[in-house]
């Protein structure tokens, strides 16, 4: 009898420990977003094939700068979303990776620029902590003014005549939600080290802490989707949008937090104490998303490997997706 009672107790103790560990890892890990984990390797001035630069209406924000690469005969166009420290001069994708070279082998590449800490969503109000002068309206830009501008420039290509959207970190979970909720324009979405289960324990607090230190800081996360109990948090959780992804191509990639080929000596401290924790969190969220998608009958193309929260790994993930036919 003692055995029968002790077993469940041990199970409950383990469950509480796991839940507490996940919550703590979430807070510590996402706080690492603001630490700049990941080594940058500037590549601006790379391929000039089909390069265009233009601006689109910001839906109430200032105009949004777009850099894009297009070649006649290409079979797909992908819109690439940046991470939490997005800049206003160039996308992190152009600064740190060579993925623009995909234009040479069938895939047009589009990079909207700006939106630090925006999560590429429409905010409820301007962030009052840092005196933001306008409300973020990134969902409107991506799904409305950007798509219209791309259509006018001939970027809607391929048999399906729809776009792909992909992003890293905050841009990863945003890509899944944008794709799932705008099926008229998107038929595939990819999340690279994204946070695909925003309803998990500790995520609200973790994101709040992370956004306190993103320039121009501090951002008030309650101005984004409201307080933690607001339904908008659930509307923007990829995990709770899986039912809208039937018939889409979905790609989820993540490192496992272990050091890999892009972890170099100058960055060991950030890579270990920020990048590793952050990527392990993304890994657990990717696995949870993959399992939920399987249960709901949504196939997911996955990529897991050694690696931390760093640009070299995101470059590899996107090329892996392309080489395996994700954009076809």
């Amino acid at each position: 009898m003692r055995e029968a009672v002790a077993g469940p107790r041990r199970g409950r103790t383990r469950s509480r420990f796991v839940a507490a560990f996940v919550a703590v890892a979430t807070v510590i890990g996402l706080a690492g977003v603001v630490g700049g984990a990941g080594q940058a390797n500037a590549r601006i001035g790379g391929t000039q094939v089909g390069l265009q630069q233009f601006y689109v209406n910001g839906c109430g924000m200032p105009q949004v700068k777009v850099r894009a690469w297009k070649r006649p005969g290409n079979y797909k166009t992908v819109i690439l979303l940046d991470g939490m420290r997005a800049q206003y001069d160039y996308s992190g994708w152009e600064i740190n990776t060579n993925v623009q070279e995909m234009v040479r082998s069938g895939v047009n590449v589009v990079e909207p620029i700006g939106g630090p800490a925006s999560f590429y969503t429409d905010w409820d109000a301007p962030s009052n902590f840092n005196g933001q002068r306008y409300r973020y309206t990134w969902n409107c830009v991506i799904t409305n003014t950007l798509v219209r501008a791309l259509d006018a420039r001939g970027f809607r290509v391929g048999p399906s005549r729809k776009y792909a959207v992909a992003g890293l970190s905050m841009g990863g979970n945003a890509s899944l939600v944008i794709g799932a909720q705008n099926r008229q324009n998107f038929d595939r979405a990819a999340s690279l080290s994204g946070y695909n289960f925003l309803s998990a324990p500790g995520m609200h607090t973790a994101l709040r802490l992370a956004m306190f230190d993103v320039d121009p800081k501090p951002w008030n996360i309650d101005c984004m989707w409201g307080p933690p109990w607001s339904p908008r948090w659930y509307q923007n959780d990829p995990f709770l949008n899986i039912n809208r992804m039937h018939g889409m191509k979905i790609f989820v990639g993540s490192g496992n937090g272990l050091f890999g080929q892009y972890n170099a000596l100058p960055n060991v401290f950030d890579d270990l104490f920020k990048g590793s924790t952050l990527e392990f969190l993304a890994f657990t969220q990717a696995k949870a998303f993959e399992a939920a998608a399987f249960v709901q009958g949504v196939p997911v193309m996955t990529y897991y490997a050694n690696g931390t929260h760093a640009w070299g790994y995101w470059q590899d993930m996107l090329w892996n997706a392309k080489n395996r036919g994700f954009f076809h």
Side-chain angles (χ1 to χ4, degrees):
M1 178 63 98
R2 218 175 273 166
E3 294 276 317
V5 172
R9 283 179 180 165
R10 284 197 299 269
R12 285 195 295 271
T13 301
R14 282 194 297 269
S15 296
R16 291 191 190 105
F17 175 79
V18 170
F21 175 79
V22 169
V24 171
T26 298
V27 173
I28 294 173
L30 271 169
V33 174
V34 301
Q39 186 174 6
N41 182 16
R43 299 174 187 270
I44 294 171
T47 183
Q48 301 295 303
V49 174
L51 174 61
Q52 305 178 27
Q53 180 172 301
F54 53 93
Y55 290 81
V56 299
N57 186 292
C59 296
M61 301 189 299
Q63 286 189 317
V64 172
K65 178 180 173 181
V66 180
R67 285 171 66 82
W69 294 258
K70 181 171 81 74
R71 197 177 72 159
N74 281 358
Y75 57 82
K76 199 68 180 178
T77 295
V78 59
I79 298 171
L80 295 181
L81 305 184
D82 212 332
M84 193 172 283
R85 287 191 177 276
Q87 300 176 195
Y88 284 96
D89 49 358
Y90 295 93
S91 166
W93 285 105
E94 185 174 1
I95 296 171
N96 301 296
T97 80
N98 65 3
V99 299
Q100 296 75 217
E101 297 291 342
M102 290 184 182
V103 72
R104 300 178 183 272
S105 55
V107 178
N108 301 322
V109 176
V110 177
E111 296 172 2
I113 297 168
S118 68
F119 281 80
Y120 295 101
T121 188
D122 292 346
W123 283 42
D124 287 349
S127 171
N128 56 346
F129 285 0
N130 59 353
Q132 189 183 23
R133 297 189 305 276
Y134 53 85
R135 178 175 69 95
Y136 269 146
T137 50
W138 273 97
N139 186 281
C140 174
V141 169
I142 294 164
T143 64
N144 190 329
T145 60
L146 176 58
V147 165
R148 290 208 309 265
L150 294 176
D151 287 353
R153 289 168 172 79
F155 278 83
R156 191 182 285 265
V157 298
S160 73
R161 307 290 293 174
K162 293 184 180 182
Y163 296 97
V165 58
L168 66 104
S169 198
M170 77 168 187
N173 39 279
S175 293
L176 294 180
V177 171
I178 287 169
Q181 295 182 358
N182 296 273
R183 298 291 297 276
Q184 71 278 17
N185 290 317
F186 298 96
D187 63 354
R188 57 207 70 199
S191 174
L192 316 178
S193 303
Y195 300 99
N196 307 330
F197 189 11
L198 295 178
S199 302
M203 289 299 290
H204 295 152
T205 299
L207 292 177
R208 182 185 302 279
L209 294 175
M211 290 170 66
F212 277 160
D213 197 42
V214 175
D215 289 330
K217 58 192 173 188
W219 295 89
N220 182 3
I221 199 170
D222 289 337
C223 295
M224 183 167 73
W225 295 324
W229 53 87
S230 167
R232 292 205 67 210
W233 276 93
Y234 303 101
Q235 292 163 4
N236 287 282
D237 187 344
F239 194 89
L240 301 179
N241 277 270
I242 293 173
N243 62 322
R244 298 186 178 200
M245 299 179 189
H246 291 278
M248 295 183 69
K249 275 192 173 182
I250 302 296
F251 180 94
V252 170
S254 175
N256 55 15
L258 300 178
F259 276 21
Q261 61 177 318
Y262 298 109
N263 298 106
L265 281 176
N267 264 29
V268 164
F269 181 85
D270 273 357
D271 287 354
L272 178 60
F273 292 102
K274 297 174 183 176
S276 289
T277 308
L278 193 59
E279 197 65 9
F280 179 72
L281 173 62
F283 176 78
T284 61
Q285 294 236 317
K287 285 293 188 180
F289 179 89
E290 180 188 357
F294 175 79
V295 170
Q296 296 182 53
V298 175
V300 177
M301 184 182 294
T302 60
Y303 175 86
Y304 301 113
N306 286 351
T308 60
H309 214 66
W311 279 102
Y313 302 111
W314 297 320
Q315 172 181 284
D316 285 356
M317 289 179 206
L318 201 63
W319 278 107
N320 178 271
K322 181 184 184 297
N323 293 337
R324 290 163 62 191
F326 178 71
F327 296 112
H328 270 292

